[in-house]
């Protein structure tokens, strides 16, 4: 087996030719690096990745670029596309944004074929991202060329990796996704689909994957369906797999349905077939997709994200309403919940804070001093709507609290007479191990302080979080079923639905360190 290993250049072209059922790399062309990129330290949880796949369209790569554009909010550190043409696999991967590196005519022309997959990723690293971790990963297997892109995080990746290394596998990245490739490569089954099923049955954790072979586009979602994956179709007939429906909208594809938890679909020249490789389990999709990760114009597991966020705001107003003159969102993610809050409370809604959309996350070294200035760089008070007002400030969540402090300072400096913070989720007091970048638990504000202590720390007149049952009501569940919760809500409750094998065996503190350059 060989992997595409282009070194540490920010944009690399790998071109493979298929000979029989073997693919081999023919060119490797580095592009000029973009210097000085570092994470700008904003205080949010970050979705790790977004995936996209298309089968049966002559302009597959161009559609994939558009799809990745729509999924850019799920990861801004790196992106990549693998396309398959008759007997040829080509790949373009980069550090940075899709629009900066992958959307030129030259790049798209280097990705011929009627099928391709793509990936955007976020890295937890404050330092450099390893280029060899950038997905899709590609391998030349005994069964032919195989590419895979993964959203989620495997919780037994280190245990499996140890096993595989013992039996001769040589890992070439630090991405947990590479475990899929080695499991498939070493499976005892002869055909690729059986090997794929064998592999996904051995991994634990959260995964929504798209994979490309010479004959098929494969999609699969873990047994609990923690991370999302949807199916769409273009009028011309091409099938699409994507993390969110907004990636279907951008290319004019029709949303057909969500891939079900535990479902695997195989799309080839004969159409689409569905398999169920896992025993039936009660689904536990990530409830945070509704609160923050997904785009508000997406449909997640059958529900409009925007409508759910408004319902969350309305629940918040019912649970913890306060006398006030104006409801102001912390933009952009707090906006739909603030609208819902304002409508339910009958209080005027105003955009009292303006966000600069052109700062991006890639800016300058995140020293404490620059972090401090950074909040003003990103947000500014709209004084006319704050001066002398009793303000309800609505945000989607509080992670470390650093941004909240600065925003509250800014609103007070603009002349607000009272500042009441309402948070559109329960306190985030546990880390996520299923594909979301969360600070370690000791750095989560809610894990360190009571609500009363947080009120003082953030500097507000009052602070309230949505209750867990309020959240379940807003997503249409009535209430949380304590002995069989309908969602993964572990970052609020600490009840992890999938075993944290590597973590429990003491291998690592945070499994996402697999995705980080550790020096
Ligand atoms: S722990 Fe939280 S962020 Fe992670 S999958 Fe579960 S609900 Fe989503």
């Amino acid at each position: 087996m060989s992997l595409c290993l282009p070194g540490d250049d920010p944009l690399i072209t790998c071109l493979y030719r298929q000979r029989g059922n073997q693919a081999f790399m023919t060119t490797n062309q580095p592009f000029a690096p973009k210097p000085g990129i570092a994470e700008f330290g904003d205080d949010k949880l970050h979705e790790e990745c977004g995936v996209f796949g298309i089968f049966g369209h002559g302009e597959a790569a161009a559609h994939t670029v558009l799809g990745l554009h729509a999924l850019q909010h799920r990861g801004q550190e790196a992106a990549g596309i693998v396309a398959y043409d008759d007997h040829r696999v080509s790949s373009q991967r980069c550090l940075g944004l899709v629009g900066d590196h992958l959307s030129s005519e030259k790049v798209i022309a280097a990705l011929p074929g009627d099928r391709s997959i793509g990936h955007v990723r976020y890295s937890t690293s404050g330092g450099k991202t390893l280029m060899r971790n950038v997905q899709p990963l590609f391998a030349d297997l005994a069964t032919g060329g195989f590419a895979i892109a993964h959203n989620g995080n495997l919780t037994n990746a280190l245990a499996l990796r140890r096993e595989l290394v013992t039996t001769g596998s040589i890992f070439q990245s630090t991405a947990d996704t590479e475990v899929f490739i080695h499991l498939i490569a070493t499976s005892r089954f002869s055909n690729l689909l059986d090997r794929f099923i064998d592999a996904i049955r051995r991994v634990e954790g959260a995964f929504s994957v798209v994979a490309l072979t010479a004959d098929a586009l494969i999609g699969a979602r873990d047994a609990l369906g923690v991370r999302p994956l949807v199916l769409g179709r273009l009028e011309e007939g091409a099938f699409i797999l994507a993390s969110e429906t907004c990636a279907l909208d951008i290319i004019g594809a029709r949303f057909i349905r969500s891939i079900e938890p535990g479902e695997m679909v195989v799309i080839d020249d004969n159409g689409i077939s569905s398999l169920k490789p896992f025993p039936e389990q009660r689904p536990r999709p990530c409830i945070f997709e509704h609160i923050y990760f997904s785009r508000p114009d997406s449909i997640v597991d059958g529900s409009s994200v925007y409508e759910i966020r408004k319902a969350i705001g309305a629940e918040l107003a019912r649970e913890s309403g306060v006398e006030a003159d104006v409801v102001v969102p912390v933009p952009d993610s707090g906006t739909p919940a603030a609208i819902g809050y304002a409508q339910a409370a009958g209080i005027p809604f105003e955009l009292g804070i303006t966000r600069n959309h052109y700062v991006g996350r890639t800016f300058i070294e995140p020293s404490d001093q620059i972090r401090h200035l950074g909040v003003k760089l990103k947000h500014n008070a709209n004084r006319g709507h704050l001066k002398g007002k009793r303000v309800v400030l609505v945000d989607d969540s509080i992670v470390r609290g650093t941004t909240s402090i600065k925003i509250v300072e800014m609103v007070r400096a603009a002349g607000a007479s009272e500042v009441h913070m309402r948070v559109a989720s329960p306190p985030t007091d546990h880390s996520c191990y299923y594909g979301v970048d969360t600070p370690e638990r000791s750095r989560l504000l809610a894990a360190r302080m009571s609500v009363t202590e947080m009120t003082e720390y953030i500097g507000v007149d009052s602070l309230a979080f949505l209750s867990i049952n309020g959240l379940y009501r807003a997503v249409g569940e009535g209430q949380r079923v304590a002995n069989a919760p309908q969602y993964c809500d572990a970052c609020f409750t600490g009840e992890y639905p999938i075993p944290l094998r590597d973590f429990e065996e003491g291998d690592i503190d945070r499994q996402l360190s697999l995705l980080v350059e550790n020096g």
Side-chain angles (χ1 to χ4, degrees):
M1 182 188 67
S2 65
L3 272 170
C4 176
L5 265 183
D8 282 343
D9 295 298
L11 179 59
I12 293 293
T13 302
C14 298
L15 186 65
Y16 297 84
R17 288 197 181 279
Q18 193 90 11
R19 183 185 292 149
N21 63 359
Q22 297 290 309
F24 63 95
M25 189 168 72
T26 57
T27 65
N28 183 344
Q29 177 193 355
F31 284 63
K34 185 175 177 180
I37 292 178
E39 177 186 351
F40 190 79
D42 62 348
D43 185 24
K44 289 286 178 197
L45 300 186
H46 288 282
E47 180 65 72
E48 284 289 335
C49 304
V51 297
F52 185 92
I54 179 167
F55 187 97
H57 195 289
E59 292 182 287
H63 283 77
T64 303
V65 170
L66 288 169
L68 295 183
H69 264 292
L71 297 173
Q72 189 79 81
H73 60 288
R74 298 182 77 87
Q76 301 91 41
E77 302 296 333
I81 297 174
V82 167
Y84 186 88
D85 197 14
D86 193 22
H87 303 307
R88 193 173 67 171
V89 180
S90 46
S91 164
Q92 297 271 336
R93 307 191 298 167
C94 66
L95 299 181
L97 299 173
V98 176
D100 289 344
H101 298 290
L102 295 181
S103 50
S104 72
E105 213 175 301
K106 183 179 168 188
V107 169
I108 291 169
L111 293 163
D114 71 345
R115 61 205 68 176
S116 67
I117 60 172
H119 188 262
V120 288
R121 61 162 280 172
Y122 173 74
S123 143
T124 59
S125 172
K128 67 176 184 176
T129 303
L130 276 175
M131 186 63 204
R132 59 179 184 262
N133 283 347
V134 178
Q135 298 185 36
L137 298 182
F138 175 83
D140 178 13
L141 306 176
T143 49
F146 176 82
I148 187 164
H150 166 211
N151 174 208
N153 194 62
L154 305 181
T155 53
N156 67 340
L158 285 176
L160 287 171
R161 188 177 169 119
R162 251 195 322 269
E163 243 180 83
L164 287 158
V165 167
T166 306
T167 52
S169 291
I170 300 168
F171 279 75
Q172 306 195 45
S173 76
T174 56
D176 56 348
T177 310
E178 196 182 339
V179 167
F180 285 110
I181 288 180
H182 289 277
L183 287 174
I184 292 166
T186 57
S187 170
R188 65 197 160 86
F189 292 95
S190 56
N191 85 56
L192 191 275
L193 286 185
D194 288 337
R195 287 175 178 229
F196 186 91
I197 292 169
D198 189 31
I200 62 175
R201 282 179 173 159
R202 290 189 62 194
V203 299
E204 294 171 4
F207 60 87
S208 280
V209 295
V210 293
L212 195 63
T213 72
D215 306 315
L217 170 65
I218 304 169
R221 206 171 165 198
D222 67 72
L224 301 187
V226 175
R227 304 258 72 88
L229 191 64
V230 298
L231 175 70
R233 196 164 194 191
L234 284 167
E235 249 179 43
E236 304 94 304
F239 283 101
I240 321 291
L241 294 168
S243 293
E244 289 183 42
T245 58
C246 61
L248 305 179
D249 295 338
I250 196 172
I251 58 168
R254 182 168 48 90
F255 169 52
I256 298 177
R257 63 178 176 86
S258 294
I259 301 302
E260 288 172 29
E263 184 182 11
M264 170 178 159
V265 291
V266 180
I267 298 163
D268 58 21
D269 289 332
N270 299 316
I272 182 165
S273 49
S274 167
L275 296 92
K276 289 289 179 72
F278 306 105
E280 196 79 24
Q281 289 186 58
R282 190 182 178 110
R284 299 283 300 273
C286 167
I287 205 161
F288 227 118
E289 290 285 347
H290 294 292
I291 297 165
Y292 173 67
F293 302 138
S294 292
R295 250 173 57 163
D297 53 337
S298 282
I299 306 289
V300 172
D301 288 323
S303 302
S304 154
V305 174
Y306 179 73
E307 293 303 329
I308 283 185
R309 286 185 192 162
K310 275 175 55 183
I312 285 173
E315 281 294 336
L316 196 52
R318 280 190 278 277
E319 284 187 355
S320 53
V322 62
E323 289 281 321
D325 303 309
V326 65
V327 176
V328 170
V330 176
D332 294 318
S333 51
T335 303
I339 292 171
Y341 186 106
Q343 288 174 351
I347 299 173
F349 168 91
E350 296 291 355
L351 295 174
I353 299 169
T354 299
R355 181 178 166 193
N356 180 347
H357 289 95
Y358 303 99
V359 178
R361 293 188 55 261
T362 53
F363 184 56
I364 34 184
E365 290 299 331
S367 67
D368 282 351
Q369 197 183 1
I370 295 301
R371 247 189 252 276
H372 181 85
L373 294 174
V375 174
K376 279 191 179 161
L377 191 76
K378 210 166 184 177
H379 297 107
N380 195 25
N382 194 352
R383 288 170 184 272
H385 288 293
L386 300 171
K387 195 164 183 210
K389 304 271 176 66
R390 297 169 298 171
V391 176
V392 178
L393 210 48
V394 179
D395 205 352
D396 60 273
S397 57
I398 292 180
V399 182
R400 287 173 299 197
T402 47
T403 299
S404 307
I405 291 172
K406 301 299 169 201
I407 295 266
V408 170
E409 267 176 18
M410 184 188 297
V411 171
R412 285 205 191 278
S417 59
E418 294 175 19
V419 184
H420 303 274
M421 183 162 262
R422 295 294 178 265
V423 184
S425 59
T428 307
D429 61 358
H430 291 80
S431 300
C432 175
Y433 296 87
Y434 304 137
V436 171
D437 172 38
T438 332
E440 57 197 52
R441 193 166 181 226
S442 61
R443 296 178 67 204
L444 293 170
L445 193 66
R448 294 166 37 215
M449 294 183 188
S450 67
V451 174
T452 308
E453 288 166 333
M454 284 190 269
T455 305
E456 196 176 328
Y457 179 77
I458 292 169
V460 284
D461 295 286
S462 75
L463 169 68
F465 293 82
L466 185 66
S467 71
I468 192 77
N469 275 328
L471 178 57
Y472 272 79
R473 279 194 296 277
V475 298
E477 290 290 345
Q479 64 171 5
R480 182 178 193 264
V481 179
N483 56 3
Q486 305 92 315
Y487 282 87
C488 175
D489 52 21
C491 47
F492 307 125
T493 62
E495 293 176 28
Y496 293 94
I498 304 170
L500 308 178
R501 187 179 302 261
D502 290 339
F503 178 74
E504 280 158 7
E505 288 177 3
D507 273 335
I508 45 173
D509 290 340
R510 298 169 59 240
Q511 297 198 343
L512 290 174
S513 62
L514 270 176
L515 297 167
V516 177
E517 163 70 281
N518 281 325

